[in-house]
């Protein structure tokens, strides 16, 4: 009996950290805890940023917690688990996919801090395009400061274009021009070749083809409010409102059907890949060997291609072609302060430092993402690693001022799942299958938007 009791005590001692939650990262430590989506190596890569921050704020201890996941949805779910377990981080790195989820449930608005430090923040907003800031507003409040972004542009293989006897497409090329380029690329190629390769996902999937046709798969409105921000930092433009609202499904409008029909024709003619959900690892190899002519990507891909040994004159970049319009999509990222954090003042200092010139130069010393501050973006991409027309990455915002974030309401995970689930069947069942597929998508989107 005594032995059994002893074993019980040992067992309890072993499991005690789990029972009390003491093994949860950050618990019991007097430090500003910052959660980011990535690996331990990604966390280690932030050390120089932490060091720079602590030189300015030696009294603020910082702890980076890397959280791995298959996608942003998995990452967000793990943050929710940490919060439910009583150990939420103080700050969370969030991309467009989760901006409204966090704003509606867990994040703390930073309006008061931005207004208090308006003089100090002026340089940041003067150097940052308002479209990026707009994407961080939700129902009139500002929740993050964008510290990176990527617009979806068209990367093309220079050799494939030359074999087709073509020159770089005009900035305002049309859909007919795109089909002409794709067909000539295919005719001039040998072996296995795809003029256009794309993935079935929210960023760079069907959305660019919807946006250039002045449509989407969700309704888009703007919330009221935000005048304090626009009047203070962007007085020369018309106030843009209090953030995007995507509250209704819109897969069956005429322009959406038209865009999906274009994709169906591209796939049907063998000009585009039959999309499969996934990342770009396979794509880098296909593109670098000349097996792909064009693909949607952003500024982040310049570093990826460089690391893969692709010379910057072997490819270039241009805009998506024009249909009814030429609006582009982007995704942006930043840090959100958790509403539960007792260290909000210290957290604000971290947000400010990360978008300062010093912080951005430390975090992005190579072209691995487009930078919201245009001056720093130009420094990085103008240094010779990126393609000849690297200016496209930022000029997308300038030349097409209606460019906006991908549709990502608080129910983003369910909405993206409903979209991805129906894309392939919609565009691979012939011209007559497009509307039938979109009818199913509309139903699934309506169900997804009802989720709380």
């Amino acid at each position: 009996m005594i032995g059994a009791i002893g074993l019980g005590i040992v067992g309890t001692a072993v499991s005690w950290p789990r029972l009390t939650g003491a093994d949860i990262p950050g618990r019991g430590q007097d430090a500003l805890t910052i959660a980011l989506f990535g690996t331990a190596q990604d966390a280690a890569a932030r050390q120089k940023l932490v060091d720079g921050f602590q030189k300015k704020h030696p009294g603020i201890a910082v702890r980076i917690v890397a959280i791995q996941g298959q996608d942003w949805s998995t990452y967000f779910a793990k943050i929710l688990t940490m919060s439910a377990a009583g150990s939420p981080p103080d700050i969370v790195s969030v991309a467009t996919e989760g901006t409204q989820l966090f704003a509606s449930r867990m994040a703390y608005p930073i309006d008061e801090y931005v207004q208090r430090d308006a003089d100090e923040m002026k340089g940041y907003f003067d150097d940052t395009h308002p479209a990026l800031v707009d994407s961080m507003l939700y129902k009139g409040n500002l929740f993050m400061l964008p510290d990176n972004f990527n617009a979806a542009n068209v990367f093309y293989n220079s050799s494939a274009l030359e074999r087709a006897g073509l020159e770089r497409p005009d900035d305002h090329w049309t859909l007919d021009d795109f089909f002409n380029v794709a067909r000539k690329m295919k005719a001039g190629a040998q072996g296995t070749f795809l003029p256009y390769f794309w993935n079935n996902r929210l960023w760079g999937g069907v959305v660019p083809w919807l946006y250039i046709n002045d449509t989407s798969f969700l309704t888009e409105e703007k919330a009221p409010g935000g005048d304090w921000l626009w009047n203070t930092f962007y007085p020369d433009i018309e106030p843009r409102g209090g953030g995007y609202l995507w509250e209704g499904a819109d897969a069956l409008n005429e322009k959406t059907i038209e865009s999906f029909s274009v994709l169906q024709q591209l796939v049907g003619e063998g000009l585009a890949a039959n999309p499969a959900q996934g990342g770009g690892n396979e794509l880098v190899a296909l593109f670098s060997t000349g097996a792909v002519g064009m693909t949607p990507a952003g500024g982040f891909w310049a570093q990826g291609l460089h690391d893969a040994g692709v010379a910057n004159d072997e490819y270039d970049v241009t805009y998506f072609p024009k249909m009814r319009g030429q609006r582009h999509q982007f995704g942006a990222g930043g840090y959100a302060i958790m509403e539960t954090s007792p260290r909000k003042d210290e957290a604000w200092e971290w947000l400010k430092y990360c978008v300062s010139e010093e912080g951005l130069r430390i975090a992005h010393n190579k072209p691995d993402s487009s930078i919201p501050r245009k001056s720093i973006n130009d420094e990085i991409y103008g240094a010779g690693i990126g393609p000849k027309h690297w200016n496209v990455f930022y000029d997308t915002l300038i030349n097409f001022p209606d460019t906006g974030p991908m549709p990502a309401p608080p129910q983003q995970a369910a909405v993206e799942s409903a979209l991805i689930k129906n894309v392939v069947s919609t565009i691979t069942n012939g011209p007559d299958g497009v509307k039938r597929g979109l009818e199913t998508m509309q139903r699934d989107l309506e169900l997804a938007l009802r989720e709380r």
Side-chain angles (χ1 to χ4, degrees):
M1 186 180 298
I2 292 173
I5 293 172
L7 289 172
I9 292 171
V10 171
T12 302
V14 170
S15 62
W16 187 251
R18 177 56 49 87
L19 293 173
T20 61
D23 62 337
I24 296 172
R27 171 159 287 188
Q29 295 188 13
D30 186 17
L32 187 67
T33 305
I34 303 167
L36 59 86
F37 181 24
T39 64
Q41 289 77 16
D42 295 318
R46 299 294 200 286
Q47 189 56 49
K48 289 185 179 179
L49 189 63
V50 172
D51 293 342
F53 173 76
Q54 291 186 317
K55 284 182 181 178
K56 290 184 174 294
H57 304 281
I60 303 177
V62 175
R63 187 174 194 275
I64 303 289
V65 177
I67 299 176
Q68 298 186 57
Q70 291 182 332
D71 50 32
W72 282 105
S73 298
T74 308
Y75 166 72
F76 298 146
K78 290 184 177 181
I79 297 293
L80 288 168
T81 300
M82 291 174 67
S83 299
S87 185
D90 298 294
I91 300 171
V92 179
S93 67
V94 182
T96 297
E97 288 90 337
T99 298
Q100 294 199 358
L101 168 66
F102 275 81
S104 64
R105 297 182 62 177
M106 294 173 282
Y108 186 78
I110 59 175
D111 306 28
E112 62 188 273
Y113 291 112
V114 174
Q115 292 178 72
R116 185 194 71 189
D117 297 344
D119 290 343
E120 187 178 353
M121 297 303 302
K122 186 176 184 302
Y124 168 75
F125 288 107
D126 284 349
D127 204 13
T128 299
H129 197 279
L132 302 173
V133 180
D134 195 2
S135 71
M136 301 300 187
L137 285 160
Y138 182 63
K139 294 189 175 180
N141 296 117
L142 183 65
F143 285 89
M144 295 188 294
L145 300 172
D147 63 12
N148 73 96
F149 81 97
N150 285 286
N153 300 120
V154 176
F155 279 61
Y156 62 85
N157 185 290
S158 300
S159 297
L161 200 68
E162 291 170 5
R163 285 196 305 266
L166 300 170
E167 297 181 351
R168 180 180 183 272
D170 182 80
D171 287 351
H172 298 282
W173 59 326
T174 66
L175 180 63
D176 287 341
D177 295 331
F178 183 89
F179 269 92
N180 180 57
V181 169
R183 287 166 180 152
K184 287 189 175 181
M185 276 187 171
K186 186 176 181 180
Q190 294 180 349
T192 303
F193 177 82
L194 274 172
Y196 182 70
F197 187 99
W198 59 298
N199 294 113
N200 183 16
R201 58 188 177 190
L202 189 59
W203 190 96
V206 301
V207 175
W209 296 97
L210 298 171
Y211 275 22
I212 61 172
N213 205 26
D214 292 339
T215 188
S216 182
F217 62 92
L218 299 180
T219 58
E220 181 178 294
E221 297 178 283
K222 296 301 285 289
D227 286 354
W228 67 268
L229 174 69
W230 307 119
N231 294 337
T232 302
F233 298 108
Y234 298 97
D236 298 330
I237 68 169
E238 186 74 21
R240 298 172 68 109
Y244 289 88
L245 294 174
W246 298 286
E247 297 181 334
D250 200 25
L252 286 171
N253 78 72
E254 176 187 348
K255 292 182 285 188
T256 299
I257 295 172
E258 184 179 26
S259 289
F260 271 90
S261 296
V262 167
L263 289 168
Q264 186 278 320
Q265 184 179 353
L266 284 169
V267 173
E269 283 191 37
L271 301 175
N274 184 346
Q277 184 180 0
N281 293 333
E282 178 189 8
L283 178 55
V284 171
L286 292 171
F287 190 81
S288 63
T289 58
V292 166
M294 299 178 285
T295 190
F300 66 91
W301 222 37
Q303 187 65 42
L305 292 175
H306 176 76
D307 292 344
V310 182
N312 59 359
D313 61 352
E314 293 180 33
Y315 72 97
D316 208 344
V317 62
T318 188
Y319 304 105
F320 261 83
K322 180 179 180 179
M323 288 182 67
R324 294 173 189 255
Q326 209 170 354
R327 183 192 195 198
H328 282 57
Q329 71 154 156
F330 67 80
Y335 290 99
I337 301 174
M338 294 289 278
E339 190 172 25
T340 53
S341 173
R343 304 179 180 87
K344 294 184 178 68
D345 290 346
E346 293 94 332
W348 167 243
E349 296 301 328
W350 173 264
L351 265 65
K352 276 198 303 183
Y353 182 73
C354 287
V355 298
S356 68
E357 291 185 356
E358 179 179 299
L360 285 171
R361 286 194 176 100
I362 292 173
H364 300 283
N365 57 10
K366 55 187 178 181
D368 56 5
S369 187
S370 299
I371 311 301
R373 294 185 78 135
K374 187 176 186 300
S375 60
I376 298 178
N377 188 78
D378 291 353
E379 285 178 18
I380 294 172
Y381 284 94
I385 290 181
K388 180 178 180 180
H389 291 87
W390 56 266
N391 57 293
V392 162
F393 300 136
Y394 206 101
D395 285 354
T396 298
L397 305 173
I398 298 170
N399 293 339
F400 309 106
D402 59 346
T403 289
M406 66 188 109
Q411 310 93 329
Q412 180 271 334
V415 165
E416 184 174 11
S417 178
L419 173 72
I420 290 172
K421 169 188 170 185
N422 291 288
V423 165
V424 174
S425 59
T426 299
I427 63 175
T428 55
N429 286 324
D432 295 335
V434 172
K435 188 172 182 180
R436 290 197 305 270
L438 291 176
E439 287 171 349
T440 304
M441 183 184 295
Q442 176 75 11
R443 179 202 66 197
D444 290 346
L445 288 170
E446 288 172 355
L447 291 173
L449 288 167
R450 290 177 196 159
E451 291 191 5
R452 302 187 64 178

